[in-house]
Amino acid sequence: MTPSNTKTPQSSIKRHHLLVGGASCASCVGKIEKALNGVSGVTDAQMNLPQSMATVYGNVDESDLIDAIKASGYNATSATEKSDEHVINEKDAADHAYYNKLLRDTAIALGLGVPLMVYGLFIGDMSVTTNAERIAWLIVGVATFAIMATSGRHFYVGGFKSLLSHNANMDTLIMLGTGTAWLYSMLVVLLPDALPLMARHVYFEATAMIIGLINLGLALEVRARGRTSDAIKRLIGLQAKTARVIRDGKELDIAIEDVELNDRIRIRPGEKIPVDGQVDEGTTSIDESMLTGEPMPVEKRIGDSVAAGTINKTGSIIFSATRVGKDTALARIIDMVKHAQNSKPPIGRLADVISAYFVPAIMIIAVVSALLWLNFGPEPTVAFALVSATTILIIACPCALGLATPMSVMVGVGKAAEAGVLIRNGEALQTASKITTMVLDKTGTITLGEPKVTDVVVANAQSETQILQLSASLESGSEHPLAMAIVQSATDKGVEADVVSNFNAITGHGIEGDVNGSRVYLGNERLMKAQGVDISGYITHAQDLAAQAKTPMYLAANSELLGIIAVADPIKEDSVSAIKRLQAKGIRIVMLTGDNRATAEAVAKKVGIGEFFAEVLPQDKTAKVIELQQSGEVVGMTGDGINDAPALARADVGFAIGTGTDVAIESADITLMRGSLHGLADAISVSKATLSNVKQNLFGAFVYNAAGVPIAAGILYPFFGILLSPIIAGAAMALSSLTVVSNANRLRWFKPS
Amino acid sequence: MLIVNLAGALLIVLIVWWFWLYKPKAVEQSEAGFSVVVENGNYSPSRIKLKTGEQHALKFLRKDASPCAEMLLIPQFDIAETLIVNQTTTIRLPEMSAGEYEFHCQMKMYKGVLVVE
């Protein structure tokens, strides 16, 4: 009977961790456990005194558990780790609520601001001359105050609090800008005689409009920002929620958090792999494209590893969990992407330095501008001074500057992750965009790294099978990669090896041994000559094979040539096209290999690389990288991340090329999860696109502020009589940060060339 | 006019002193974990004194719904954590050598300093 027939379906049971305070003695343990077990829904509760940690199983609300502990005289807080998905969902809900609130605030503020502005533009004069006007404007002033206290409350509270803590941000600027406009207008209404007749203008509509427009800008920004984290949401969404584990011969559906190491898990066709593991039973093919970008499903047999988040296609398997929770490849990828998304490339640091001085500097500029108008401006100087100061405070946008880099990096790193390219941090992203020379390791990078028998040439043998069988027999004891390739090829074809006696390895020549009563030799030309074997008719054959980057070996028995068997490490199917893509980007490609010159030359020729260095020892790879760097190149190094670690570390950007999902993501600046070199070209394309997006954003934000502030100050007034309205400034400021976020979002549609 | 100009100059001096020259007092961390409230565009307290050579945990309570408050970064320690509104997020710090370490939001509009002595 298969386990699936005996299965008793159970709903998933949750595990809660609580940190308990105040428990100091063994008797407390019993008391706490009793209290917890008394909560309905709890199936089991255990208190660990040394760790002050209670573990509770059951479908219960954590707050009920905390209440129960508190009721028994102790303190408790939740220590259950929140899943990434939980965090994302809460964040989305909070963002949505905030978005709605901002829209409400916008509607209220514009509800007053728009009619006032229309009145000022088309109907009447916004100045105070008669007593009736004073009363009317007083009512409007009070209404504006109500808007400031409701829709604009967050600006004032935030601005004031930062002011008190010697900090200044956008809120401070908005508070000062709109506050000044409102105070001045109230002064006009309450004490008109304190001001010259011409200056008795009210600016209530500016205050209301600015609050409305900036709230609208913030609302749109919240929406646009949500989209910048789409990539990470997609990765988090790959995680399965439950797993069907087999414990004590029974199948249980349990929450993913509760899967433990070595749990046996059953996966049926179409299901998601919940944790990393190793296949124990069955064969199947698995779609790993969501992690590696590799579109073809991968065959899995007993002993193969499977990765969390990938999707089982055809077969049914049972596998053992080898990595769970935060240790799965997917969890580590998510973690790495999240970190990289929040790291800043060096290019963003200038904006940080400016941001630190920005707001106080703007305040100083506003004061200076007001003083200039008061001293040298036309009448009414007070009104001009007020408008220019308010407009400066409102138009200056530290947010656009501050958002420029992080938003683009967020989208760019996420985009790369979708293509199976993991970028460690902002610095790697920036440097990758500047690479001039790419050093490629041959084995495992350009080639598959798994030698295979490619050709069998029959001379005097009965068949190809005979050649394969004798070769495999001789090589069966060896662990040399070429030998393993031959043995594997024989196994694949169902050819059985014979017993070998009197085996001998002849250094630099090959091997010999007795098989079925014959003395058999397998090796190079020198071995054949030493044994007096006539190979004259086959030397050109062997040379042809060598020229194709293959390693030919002669097989002879009793001084008679049986044939040639050739082994090669095949070039990855798409290496040629990927290298062409890199070269098209103007990148110089250099190949390094520990292999012999003939093979290196043949591979280089085949993939279109002009520059290569053969017989390079690992330490010499590093020296080669340094040499290139000294000649002024920005060097990228691509290797499998294990043998090439020193060179990867030395290069400006080290690319570790992964094979499937089992990647050592700690080892390099950029990890390519799929084996294809196209990942390399993708990585560089994404980096370039992201960097140019950052530059556009920074440039836009700099230009906006550098042009906006002087115009607001009235620099155009002496020449063209133009002085910006504070309302226009409010709209411009709301638009500027939205533009930055939207431009960053443009990267989402980026397709690598 | 002279008075107005003098007042303006004084205001500028005040801005420079208030924002750039003044350093708020650092608040010392108590025994049982330390809470930082994120509210109204601020970390409170924003200057936190910690002892060197010890492992510390900071609890951040985010009350501010603005997306600016969402990320907490401590670049020196490669810490980037998402704060959820109205919830406490615990940030574990590694052992630190003496010095000042900034923590801030993505855009550096919210700023704070860890003073390790």
Side-chain angles (χ1 to χ4, degrees):
Chain A
M1 193 189 274
T2 59
S4 63
N5 294 337
T6 60
K7 156 174 119 75
T8 46
Q10 286 189 10
S11 62
S12 64
I13 288 173
K14 273 200 168 166
R15 182 168 58 181
H16 304 273
H17 294 290
L18 300 165
L19 204 57
V20 180
S24 52
C25 55
S27 68
C28 308
V29 173
K31 215 169 148 189
I32 291 165
E33 285 181 354
K34 199 176 155 205
L36 288 171
N37 278 314
V39 178
S40 82
V42 171
T43 53
D44 190 19
Q46 286 152 14
M47 173 73 198
N48 178 330
L49 193 61
Q51 291 182 345
S52 312
M53 183 80 83
T55 308
V56 186
Y57 297 88
N59 293 314
V60 282
D61 203 26
E62 221 158 79
S63 60
D64 291 344
L65 299 175
I66 292 171
D67 288 346
I69 293 177
K70 283 186 177 164
S72 58
Y74 303 95
N75 263 321
T77 47
S78 168
T80 307
E81 271 201 32
K82 291 198 175 76
S83 70
D84 289 321
E85 190 162 3
H86 183 74
V87 170
I88 280 276
N89 287 341
E90 291 203 354
K91 176 184 136 43
D92 278 354
D95 277 356
H96 192 70
Y98 187 59
Y99 171 76
N100 287 335
K101 177 195 172 294
L102 287 169
L103 280 190
R104 240 182 357 256
D105 288 347
T106 305
I108 295 170
L110 293 186
L112 178 70
V114 171
L116 276 182
M117 196 173 76
V118 169
Y119 174 81
L121 284 176
F122 305 110
I123 304 165
D125 193 11
M126 312 257 312
S127 56
V128 176
T129 39
T130 66
N131 266 340
E133 275 174 353
R134 275 182 72 184
I135 292 165
W137 284 120
L138 185 64
I139 294 167
V140 173
V142 172
T144 310
F145 183 79
I147 285 181
M148 292 161 79
T150 52
S151 299
R153 189 173 176 275
H154 56 116
F155 298 129
Y156 298 100
V157 177
F160 193 66
K161 287 237 171 133
S162 1
L163 199 67
L164 280 188
S165 64
H166 300 262
N167 229 320
N169 55 28
M170 192 189 79
D171 289 343
T172 321
L173 292 178
I174 296 166
M175 172 186 80
L176 292 174
T178 54
T180 316
W182 184 81
L183 281 175
Y184 178 85
S185 308
M186 281 311 272
L187 185 73
V188 170
V189 172
L190 296 176
L191 301 165
D193 296 335
L195 295 158
L197 194 62
M198 278 170 76
R200 290 178 198 167
H201 192 93
V202 291
Y203 297 95
F204 294 124
E205 96 288 9
T207 300
M209 284 297 292
I210 290 165
I211 291 173
L213 288 171
I214 294 178
N215 271 323
L216 180 65
L218 282 176
L220 297 176
E221 195 187 310
V222 170
R223 281 290 284 275
R225 268 188 185 221
R227 284 194 285 269
T228 60
S229 51
D230 274 1
I232 197 89
K233 278 184 204 159
R234 208 165 303 151
L235 279 175
I236 289 169
L238 292 177
Q239 287 170 325
K241 290 187 181 61
T242 59
R244 184 170 302 121
V245 299
I246 307 170
R247 285 180 186 164
D248 306 326
K250 280 185 188 162
E251 289 195 17
L252 304 169
D253 275 332
I254 61 167
I256 184 108
E257 297 86 37
D258 299 334
V259 176
E260 283 167 15
L261 274 185
N262 302 320
D263 264 341
R264 278 160 59 78
I265 297 162
R266 175 183 295 278
I267 299 292
R268 290 187 294 210
E271 285 180 342
K272 223 180 243 179
I273 308 289
V275 295
D276 288 0
Q278 201 172 27
V279 180
D280 289 339
E281 286 176 35
T283 56
T284 187
S285 66
I286 288 183
D287 177 4
E288 296 186 337
S289 60
M290 54 296 287
L291 290 189
T292 63
E294 178 66 58
M296 290 294 289
V298 184
E299 295 297 322
K300 298 286 178 183
R301 285 186 265 189
I302 293 171
D304 285 346
S305 55
V306 290
T310 57
I311 290 173
N312 181 31
K313 302 286 274 189
T314 48
S316 267
I317 52 166
I318 292 174
F319 74 92
S320 303
T322 53
R323 281 186 303 223
V324 298
K326 298 264 177 208
D327 297 326
T328 64
L330 177 61
R332 287 185 303 155
I333 288 167
I334 291 170
D335 206 44
M336 183 173 167
V337 172
K338 274 205 291 200
H339 268 84
Q341 283 185 323
N342 286 299
S343 77
K344 233 169 242 185
I347 191 174
R349 289 189 196 136
L350 178 65
D352 275 355
V353 172
I354 294 174
S355 293
Y357 297 98
F358 190 86
V359 177
I362 292 298
M363 290 182 201
I364 293 172
I365 293 173
V367 174
V368 171
S369 169
L371 288 179
L372 287 174
W373 280 103
L374 285 171
N375 283 294
F376 310 108
E379 286 298 331
T381 54
V382 189
F384 277 115
L386 175 91
V387 169
S388 86
T390 305
T391 315
I392 289 172
L393 292 171
I394 297 299
I395 204 165
C397 187
C399 287
L401 214 53
L403 282 170
T405 314
M407 287 297 116
S408 307
V409 171
M410 187 116 176
V411 183
V413 167
K415 192 76 206 170
E418 276 175 21
V421 175
L422 295 183
I423 299 174
R424 171 163 299 285
N425 53 34
E427 194 160 343
L429 182 87
Q430 178 166 344
T431 317
S433 72
K434 290 192 204 146
I435 287 173
T436 56
T437 297
M438 180 61 78
V439 178
L440 300 176
D441 179 45
K442 180 183 77 74
T443 311
T445 302
I446 298 174
T447 64
L448 283 173
E450 296 155 5
K452 285 190 176 117
V453 172
T454 55
D455 299 80
V456 179
V457 180
V458 180
N460 299 310
Q462 292 152 3
S463 64
E464 288 190 7
T465 312
Q466 190 199 7
I467 294 175
L468 194 60
Q469 188 197 20
L470 285 173
S471 308
S473 305
L474 273 184
E475 297 279 28
S476 55
S478 172
E479 283 187 4
H480 189 274
L482 297 183
M484 284 161 74
I486 292 174
V487 174
Q488 185 63 47
S489 169
T491 315
D492 289 348
K493 295 203 166 100
V495 177
E496 269 181 51
D498 284 323
V499 182
V500 183
S501 52
N502 299 322
F503 176 84
N504 184 30
I506 316 156
T507 313
H509 286 74
I511 50 176
E512 59 178 338
D514 293 332
V515 186
N516 297 335
S518 307
R519 193 70 183 157
V520 184
Y521 301 90
L522 180 69
N524 57 19
E525 204 177 314
R526 272 177 287 177
L527 177 70
M528 295 299 122
K529 283 191 174 150
Q531 295 305 321
V533 180
D534 177 23
I535 53 167
S536 53
Y538 291 89
I539 288 178
T540 43
H541 258 106
Q543 282 169 347
D544 283 351
L545 290 168
Q548 294 167 42
K550 294 166 184 169
T551 307
M553 284 171 279
Y554 295 98
L555 178 75
N558 304 325
S559 298
E560 187 187 37
L561 181 70
L562 296 177
I564 300 173
I565 185 162
V567 175
D569 180 6
I571 292 168
K572 288 175 191 166
E573 260 175 54
D574 52 5
S575 285
V576 178
S577 57
I579 286 167
K580 270 204 187 111
R581 265 180 77 194
L582 287 167
Q583 285 166 334
K585 290 178 194 301
I587 294 169
R588 172 178 161 198
I589 310 280
V590 178
M591 185 182 89
L592 295 186
T593 176
D595 245 355
N596 66 66
R597 206 185 145 75
T599 315
E601 188 170 359
V603 171
K605 205 171 158 193
K606 228 173 171 178
V607 297
I609 296 176
E611 221 175 323
F612 68 91
F613 298 91
E615 288 157 38
V616 185
L617 299 168
Q619 59 268 35
D620 297 341
K621 287 185 183 170
T622 313
K624 200 72 217 164
V625 168
I626 294 173
E627 196 184 311
L628 286 163
Q629 284 171 327
Q630 280 167 348
S631 68
E633 305 280 341
V634 179
V635 182
M637 165 84 205
T638 311
D640 55 19
I642 303 155
N643 309 323
D644 309 315
L648 288 181
R650 189 65 188 82
D652 295 294
V653 186
F655 294 81
I657 195 152
T659 41
T661 51
D662 199 23
V663 286
I665 58 178
E666 282 83 17
S667 66
D669 297 316
I670 296 182
T671 304
L672 309 174
M673 284 189 288
R674 98 190 117 127
S676 163
L677 281 180
H678 277 290
L680 206 56
D682 290 348
I684 292 173
S685 299
V686 172
S687 307
K688 282 193 181 208
T690 308
L691 247 284
S692 73
N693 198 277
V694 169
K695 284 182 191 161
Q696 290 157 10
N697 276 346
L698 283 175
F699 180 78
F702 274 119
V703 169
Y704 167 80
N705 281 300
V709 172
I711 292 173
I715 204 165
L716 299 178
Y717 191 81
F719 310 106
F720 309 104
I722 296 173
L723 186 61
L724 224 53
S725 138
I727 298 175
I728 308 246
M733 136 63 147
L735 216 60
S736 67
S737 38
L738 185 64
T739 310
V740 164
V741 181
S742 306
N743 187 47
N745 264 326
R746 243 173 14 98
L747 270 179
R748 291 194 304 148
W749 313 117
F750 168 80
K751 286 231 155 54
S753 61
Chain B
M1 213 45 229
L2 185 70
I3 295 168
V4 172
N5 284 333
L6 274 179
L10 202 67
L11 193 56
I12 292 172
V13 172
L14 195 67
I15 292 171
V16 171
W17 174 76
W18 187 259
F19 292 109
W20 289 331
L21 303 180
Y22 180 89
K23 282 235 153 88
K25 254 197 192 160
V27 179
E28 265 182 68
Q29 176 173 26
S30 64
E31 285 290 304
F34 198 85
S35 288
V36 179
V37 180
V38 189
E39 196 177 13
N40 300 317
N42 267 297
Y43 296 123
S44 164
S46 60
R47 232 180 132 78
I48 300 162
K49 213 187 265 181
L50 298 170
K51 284 208 179 78
T52 170
E54 284 176 25
Q55 291 221 324
H56 299 282
L58 291 179
K59 289 180 192 154
F60 282 81
L61 171 60
R62 176 183 168 197
K63 290 187 177 172
D64 197 328
S66 154
C68 301
E70 183 182 313
M71 292 304 308
L72 178 87
L73 308 183
I74 314 180
Q76 275 97 335
F77 308 127
D78 203 22
I79 290 173
E81 205 63 50
T82 310
L83 307 181
I84 304 172
V85 185
N86 294 325
Q87 285 191 23
T88 306
T89 308
T90 306
I91 311 275
R92 279 173 215 293
L93 299 167
E95 277 191 23
M96 296 174 283
S97 49
E100 294 202 349
Y101 305 95
E102 272 198 335
F103 57 97
H104 51 78
C105 73
Q106 245 181 356
M107 290 157 49
K108 272 196 160 177
M109 283 289 122
Y110 295 56
K111 273 180 293 189
V113 184
L114 302 175
V115 184
V116 182
E117 290 172 344

